[in-house]
Amino acid sequence: MSEAPPTPQFDQYGSTPGGSSKELVPNAEEAPVPRKKSNRKLLLLGGLAAVIVVFLAVFLPIYFTIIRKKDGSSSGNSGSSSDGDSSGGDSDDSGSSATPTPTPTKGPTSGGDGSIITMVDGTTFTYKNAFGGHWVHDSEDPYKLDAQANEWSPPLNQSWDWVRNRIYGVNIGGLFVLEPFISPAIFQKYPGTRDEWDLSEAIMAANGNLDELEEHYRTFYVEKDIAEIAGAGLNWIRLPIGWWAFEVAEDEPFLQGKSWNYFLQIVEWARKYGLRVLVDLHAVPGSQNGLNHSGRFGHGVNWMAGTQGIYNAERTIYYLRILTQFLSQPQYKEVIKAIGLVNEPRAATLGHDPLASFNLRAYNVLREVTGFGEGNGPYIAIQEGMRPMSIWADDLPGADRVIVDGHSYFVFNGANTARIDAAAVDGLPGGTWPAQACRAWGPEYNASRNNFGPSIGGEFSAAPNDCALFINGVGSGSDHPQCAEYQDWENYTTGMKEGIKNYVLASFDSFGDWFFWTWKIGPSSAGRVEAPLWSYSLGLANGWMPTDPREATGKCLAMGVTRVEWDGTFEPARTGGVPTPTIPASYTAQYPWPPASISDVAGAPSSLPRFTEPVPALTLPPFTSATPTATST
Ligand SMILES: *[C@@H]1O[C@H](CO)[C@@H](O)[C@H](O)[C@H]1NC(C)=O
Ligand SMILES: *[C@@H]1O[C@H](CO)[C@@H](O)[C@H](O)[C@H]1NC(C)=O
Ligand SMILES: *[C@@H]1O[C@H](CO)[C@@H](O)[C@H](O)[C@H]1NC(C)=O
Ligand SMILES: *[C@@H]1O[C@H](CO)[C@@H](O)[C@H](O)[C@H]1NC(C)=O
């Protein structure tokens, strides 16, 4: 990578949020850095996007108010007939996004349990929701917020109450940041690949293009999946995305930009089915943890560490800023309610203090974009970094709308062979697992709420062990003695299914607000799911996931573990109740940007390469539905 001159180029952000957004315009005198495939291409892209934005701004209102009106019948609240446009946005033709073709007939614009949905490819499914949810999608009013996931969750047009409402969520793992254990078949097709970096290189070498990755985006999740998430009694999704959704540098083999529109498609489906979204920046330049789900495995941590560490962190903040600008727009801010800064930064290597500096820097930049207080852009989630949540308890004091995202697994803690079909304290199957979850996680999340503020279990699974294909990486199996039994999910006994379910219920109860990892595991090349306990949908279909997540309430109490249902209050700033929140000057002084030191760097980080934002900054295009979705795999 080329090295930018070591001049501090981010001073214009200052550390006092709330300033004029004009200050965000980067200093133009430094030639923009990045090791882009081609800066000219990016400028063209930006120019093109600007033209499209202007076109849409002018054309769409005309289209919606005049052209579509001619289509006749609009509203309808029918239980069962077809939805004429499942795209969630403007056009639903497969041609150019710039020439929407009105659909000849317009179906109902909302429906409840039993209504029939027609997907973009013409296939239909029945929307099933036993919990009083209803979908809403009106192509004449595409940003409507009337959908409701279920009767106990507020519709999108009402605010989310972080004290009284509970997040029952699921991750959309492995869709835009691929992982061998989530979509094994595509990795098996290219032997030797073990992360998306390798996979992208192998696909490009074999085909001369990366279309196969776009095919994955198009087919791994379809509208039916998002409808089923709402039908499962869930109300939020956590949606991981990699930086290559925005752009890539010259030496980065990822598919550039393509996932963005598919990302927006998921968001529009979330809107349609009443689900709120936490967007999670799952992979950042340089790798924040050296793991395959950061995009690149085994090349160390070059983000907030090493000579490119500050450069990569500033490049990350730039992407977070343009993403936040996009999703703070009125049409998105009530659907995308939170943004995760960086998934699982390796805090043990990076250290708390440099990460605290990064979090403060990102917070200031993002809040300068959004302003303060409820309704002004997303909540900001900081991930616990694979360390106890307590290490963040004193961070960002007084900051506006910040949450901690904890990831809780026993899987990677060594083999435990306690039988899950044995009786637990309450006489039901589960063995020692439910109580272990309640004891380990209940107090941790309770304390995080008391000491920091809103806290979520952003990732966990139903797996008590590492018996799953590729969970330890491609080429590494498990030597756990119960793997034959755990892998044979088609033949689980009733006791096994009930035991797993009780372990999951105890996990739900411990977290309070949670996102299971993940909704779906794709088949391996053998044609079957080989990481069964990581798939919410597989467990629902086969009886080991709870059909009603509310069953979890009181599970830990039944385990004889102190009731963990949290009933405190949050500091008002944490839930947007302070119009001009301030972070104490002493805290800002303690965590300067760049930090006083970072890992793997001998001297002062202030002399390291810095990232200069390009001028103009990248513009993220609006949703176009020119990507018809094929049948789910
Ligand atoms: C919000 O959505 C509900 C349906 O979920 C609808 O009944 C209500 O009128 C909407 N409220 C507003 C203010 O639009
Ligand atoms: C949760 O926090 C409350 C309030 O501080 C405390 O009273 C309660 O004992 C805690 N519960 C657990 C299980 O830690
Ligand atoms: C890939 O990621 C998994 C999950 O984090 C990890 O356990 C494994 O070691 C990684 N390695 C490889 C080679 O894929
Ligand atoms: C499940 O059990 C049946 C016999 O009961 C066996 O034929 C089948 O192979 C088993 N499934 C798997 C995936 O092992």
Side-chain angles (χ1 to χ4, degrees):
M1 55 181 68
S2 72
E3 304 198 349
T7 39
Q9 282 130 4
F10 276 58
D11 283 350
Q12 66 272 14
Y13 289 141
S15 54
T16 320
S20 155
S21 62
K22 276 190 224 112
E23 292 174 330
L24 284 175
V25 177
N27 189 338
E29 71 190 17
E30 215 56 71
V33 188
R35 328 150 308 160
K36 307 290 164 35
K37 290 230 140 107
S38 145
N39 276 330
R40 200 180 309 125
K41 199 155 106 193
L42 281 169
L43 289 176
L44 279 176
L45 204 68
L48 190 66
V51 170
I52 292 174
V53 168
V54 169
F55 177 82
L56 292 177
V58 173
F59 181 74
L60 281 184
I62 299 175
Y63 171 65
F64 286 123
T65 57
I66 302 172
I67 303 180
R68 294 303 287 255
K69 281 276 146 66
K70 292 191 193 142
D71 294 348
S73 77
S74 57
S75 72
N77 224 322
S78 114
S80 116
S81 97
S82 119
D83 173 31
D85 175 2
S86 56
S87 67
D90 39 359
S91 74
D92 49 42
D93 62 329
S94 55
S96 155
S97 61
T99 55
T101 311
T103 35
T105 54
K106 187 164 181 292
T109 55
S110 69
D113 188 33
S115 54
I116 308 291
I117 306 288
T118 305
M119 294 202 281
V120 182
D121 68 349
T123 59
T124 61
F125 69 89
T126 303
Y127 170 76
K128 292 186 190 137
N129 191 314
F131 303 119
H134 65 274
W135 60 267
V136 173
H137 174 67
D138 184 350
S139 53
E140 288 180 14
D141 187 3
Y143 301 122
K144 227 173 167 156
L145 296 167
D146 285 14
Q148 187 172 13
N150 51 56
E151 66 195 8
W152 65 83
S153 304
L156 299 178
N157 65 18
Q158 286 174 22
S159 60
W160 184 262
D161 183 331
W162 287 84
V163 175
R164 279 203 292 274
N165 299 139
R166 293 277 67 85
I167 294 178
Y168 299 156
V170 74
N171 282 274
I172 310 294
L175 176 58
F176 301 129
V177 179
L178 278 69
E179 291 191 55
F181 91 94
I182 298 176
S183 57
I186 192 170
F187 287 89
Q188 289 168 317
K189 188 172 167 190
Y190 296 95
T193 61
R194 45 184 202 173
D195 58 27
E196 191 164 342
W197 183 292
D198 294 349
L199 182 68
S200 302
E201 286 184 338
I203 293 176
M204 180 60 85
N207 306 292
N209 62 55
L210 294 174
D211 293 354
E212 216 169 318
L213 289 171
E214 186 174 0
E215 192 58 19
H216 171 78
Y217 305 151
R218 197 197 328 272
T219 57
F220 192 39
Y221 277 74
V222 298
E223 182 172 353
K224 187 166 184 270
D225 292 291
I226 307 303
E228 285 175 358
I229 288 170
L234 307 176
N235 52 21
W236 277 67
I237 55 173
R238 180 170 176 268
L239 184 52
I241 192 167
W243 83 89
W244 48 93
F246 315 120
E247 66 178 3
V248 299
E250 207 173 318
D251 58 352
E252 295 165 353
F254 302 104
L255 178 54
Q256 172 173 273
K258 279 283 182 203
S259 54
W260 177 246
N261 199 53
Y262 292 92
F263 167 85
L264 290 178
Q265 173 69 88
I266 299 281
V267 170
E268 290 310 327
W269 288 332
R271 180 200 305 280
K272 179 171 180 176
Y273 295 99
L275 301 167
R276 288 170 174 81
V277 179
L278 184 160
V279 50
D280 150 50
L281 190 58
H282 209 73
V284 295
S287 180
Q288 71 275 29
N289 52 32
L291 299 175
N292 45 37
H293 51 72
S294 73
R296 196 166 202 201
F297 166 78
H299 292 262
V301 180
N302 300 295
W303 178 92
M304 289 303 290
T307 52
Q308 294 300 321
I310 297 298
Y311 178 97
N312 284 329
E314 290 181 338
R315 194 176 157 207
T316 300
I317 289 174
Y318 164 59
Y319 296 140
L320 286 167
R321 180 175 67 76
I322 59 171
L323 178 59
T324 299
Q325 259 160 353
F326 184 92
L327 53 84
S328 300
Q329 298 175 94
Q331 63 270 40
Y332 291 106
K333 65 190 178 66
E334 296 309 322
V335 183
I336 304 172
K337 293 299 291 180
I339 182 171
L341 296 180
V342 176
N343 180 65
E344 297 185 357
R346 190 183 285 274
T349 304
L350 299 172
H352 166 273
D353 291 4
L355 284 171
S357 283
F358 173 84
N359 290 340
L360 177 61
R361 183 63 166 185
Y363 168 84
N364 284 331
V365 170
L366 300 195
R367 284 288 170 254
E368 195 157 322
V369 169
T370 66
F372 297 114
E374 180 56 37
N376 294 317
Y379 276 64
I380 293 172
I382 59 173
Q383 210 285 320
E384 112 281 74
M386 302 179 278
R387 302 271 294 126
M389 288 166 94
S390 57
I391 75 165
W392 305 104
D394 298 327
D395 280 49
L396 293 169
D400 175 54
R401 295 171 297 151
V402 191
I403 61 189
V404 183
D405 170 7
H407 295 180
S408 302
Y409 296 108
F410 294 135
V411 175
F412 306 108
N413 296 355
N416 176 345
T417 56
R419 291 210 58 88
I420 209 160
D421 53 2
V425 192
D426 58 357
L428 300 172
T432 50
W433 294 98
Q436 189 186 339
C438 293
R439 276 198 300 268
W441 300 329
E444 182 184 17
Y445 283 76
N446 193 49
S448 183
R449 288 188 177 92
N450 287 330
N451 300 330
F452 182 91
S455 302
I456 57 173
E459 289 188 19
F460 64 103
S461 76
N465 54 47
D466 61 358
C467 300
L469 180 70
F470 296 159
I471 196 66
N472 292 323
V474 175
S476 318
S478 166
D479 53 12
H480 194 283
Q482 294 165 336
C483 283
E485 183 181 14
Y486 272 91
Q487 279 290 20
D488 188 15
W489 57 266
E490 294 92 338
N491 294 308
Y492 282 175
T493 62
T494 305
M496 181 105 165
K497 290 181 184 183
E498 290 300 313
I500 294 165
K501 188 189 287 185
N502 285 317
Y503 169 51
V504 167
L505 288 170
S507 306
F508 290 176
D509 201 27
S510 303
F511 304 129
D513 298 289
W514 47 263
F515 294 85
F516 187 90
W517 185 273
T518 173
W519 175 249
K520 193 174 191 180
I521 298 289
S524 69
S525 56
R528 66 186 278 269
V529 173
E530 296 194 62
L533 297 186
W534 298 78
S535 173
Y536 202 112
S537 51
L538 190 75
L540 268 183
N542 291 279
W544 68 76
M545 287 298 286
T547 48
D548 184 343
R550 293 173 301 177
E551 282 174 50
T553 308
K555 188 68 183 174
C556 287
L557 192 60
M559 287 300 122
V561 180
T562 322
R563 186 167 178 77
V564 293
E565 219 179 314
W566 191 76
D567 61 355
T569 51
F570 294 125
E571 227 185 278
R574 286 293 195 246
T575 49
V578 178
T580 50
T582 46
I583 294 180
S586 56
Y587 185 84
T588 300
Q590 194 180 351
Y591 299 110
W593 188 263
S597 68
I598 60 173
S599 296
D600 302 330
V601 170
S606 54
S607 63
L608 293 176
R610 305 293 290 266
F611 177 77
T612 312
E613 295 202 3
V615 181
L618 200 59
T619 308
L620 295 174
F623 177 61
T624 82
S625 57
T627 48
T629 307
T631 307
S632 176
T633 48

